[in-house]
Amino acid sequence: MEHIDHILVVDDDHGIRTGVVDYLRKNGLRATAAAEGREMMAQLDTSAFDLIVLDVMMPGDDGLVLCRNLRSGKHRAVPVLLLTARDDETDRIIGLEMGADDYLTKPFSPRELLARIKAVIRRTRMLPPNLRITETTDILAFGRWRLDTTARHLLDEDGTVVALSGAEFRLLRVFLDHPQRILSRDQLLNLTQGRDAELFDRSIDLMVSRLRQRLQDDAKEQAYIKTVRSEGYVFSMPVSVNGDAP
């Protein structure tokens, strides 16, 4: 039986919520509505979804908080597309850092929303297996650090936990899956954010800078993430799985 993608639409605006659900259904998708975070979680606990359309500006826990909670819980593998009334680059970066896979600014065309939904789902399914979120507990060791890929946090040599944002986790995971290989900014952006033509140029540099801070990587020495002039970045440390020798 052919799989029909199931979309969860979370928006406190009844008109937008029902309008999006009706449009998606008319275009061959399954769609379910939720008005706020608690209803969203109830739906996620009872049904399987292929993507969540999540409004940012909602009463109570807003979309950014809900997105961050999703990325730290059992539903972390479900892609999230944020709807935001904010057209500010900083807010878009925050949304991506919270773990969103894409965003769309209100007011939006239902046709564009449908295209974005299909693109995010397609990109998620096209990821190599080593970049997909799985239930397997792998500890990736490098230098004085370990990355718990299930809990999505760093552990230093003393076992102290260093929490990562969604964007920081995805960027570090990409580097660890491609150690000692030069990756261009476009490659890093496509692998971590899934956006193609409308990327803001400096976002990957900001994320690399923040990840270096997490790793306590000296900007001059660059023991972990080295800048390759005119080419991109390279993760210079060998990486081992589950603490085995590289």
Side-chain angles (χ1 to χ4, degrees):
M1 183 175 178
E2 183 181 359
H3 175 76
I4 299 175
D5 291 327
H6 193 182
I7 313 302
L8 178 58
V9 180
V10 187
D11 197 309
D12 64 310
D13 186 306
H14 180 267
I16 293 177
R17 187 171 68 244
T18 56
V20 169
V21 166
D22 289 345
Y23 184 82
L24 296 179
R25 289 174 177 170
K26 289 177 182 177
N27 283 273
L29 300 177
R30 295 176 62 198
T32 300
E36 39 77 35
R38 285 179 296 180
E39 190 175 348
M40 175 188 77
M41 295 308 301
Q43 292 286 359
L44 285 167
D45 287 338
T46 57
S47 301
F49 292 93
D50 298 280
L51 182 139
I52 302 168
V53 176
L54 180 59
D55 184 37
V56 169
M57 302 296 290
M58 292 193 296
D61 288 339
D62 65 19
L64 296 177
V65 172
L66 293 173
C67 185
R68 182 185 62 197
N69 294 342
L70 285 168
R71 286 297 175 252
S72 63
K74 62 181 179 180
H75 303 295
R76 59 185 175 273
V78 184
V80 174
L81 189 155
L82 289 178
L83 298 179
T84 174
R86 304 169 178 173
D87 193 21
D88 179 82
E89 181 175 299
T90 301
D91 290 325
R92 298 199 297 270
I93 292 175
I94 291 173
L96 294 169
E97 287 185 335
M98 290 298 158
D101 297 271
D102 203 350
Y103 62 84
L104 189 58
T105 304
K106 294 180 177 180
F108 57 87
S109 158
R111 184 177 179 182
E112 181 180 5
L113 175 61
L114 177 62
R116 293 289 186 95
I117 288 170
K118 290 182 176 180
V120 170
I121 292 174
R122 182 173 64 251
R123 286 192 298 261
T124 300
R125 291 172 180 162
M126 287 175 62
L127 282 176
N130 65 338
L131 289 183
R132 293 181 189 152
I133 299 171
T134 68
E135 298 304 318
T136 303
T137 302
D138 279 339
I139 303 296
L140 302 179
F142 55 98
R144 57 183 288 262
W145 297 98
R146 290 173 294 150
L147 179 69
D148 186 325
T149 61
T150 298
R152 299 165 69 94
H153 58 226
L154 273 174
L155 298 164
D156 67 13
E157 54 198 346
D158 297 320
T160 303
V161 172
V162 178
L164 297 173
S165 71
E168 290 165 348
F169 172 81
R170 291 196 302 272
L171 179 59
L172 180 55
R173 184 66 196 270
V174 169
F175 277 131
L176 297 183
D177 285 328
H178 303 85
Q180 300 168 333
R181 171 184 167 187
I182 297 174
L183 297 171
S184 70
R185 287 174 174 81
D186 285 346
Q187 287 175 317
L188 290 171
L189 285 163
N190 287 333
L191 284 170
T192 58
Q193 298 182 19
R195 297 185 61 81
D196 299 318
E198 301 175 32
L199 299 164
F200 25 95
D201 294 337
R202 303 300 297 174
S203 63
I204 195 65
D205 297 322
L206 288 170
M207 284 194 292
V208 168
S209 176
R210 291 175 183 177
L211 183 56
R212 280 174 171 158
Q213 292 176 18
R214 297 287 194 195
L215 298 174
Q216 301 174 14
D217 200 10
D218 186 87
K220 294 181 179 179
E221 297 295 331
Q222 296 180 353
Y224 293 96
I225 305 171
K226 295 184 181 295
T227 302
V228 182
R229 188 180 296 275
S230 302
E231 293 190 59
Y233 297 97
V234 60
F235 193 84
S236 58
M237 282 278 179
V239 180
S240 60
V241 178
N242 293 327
D244 296 334

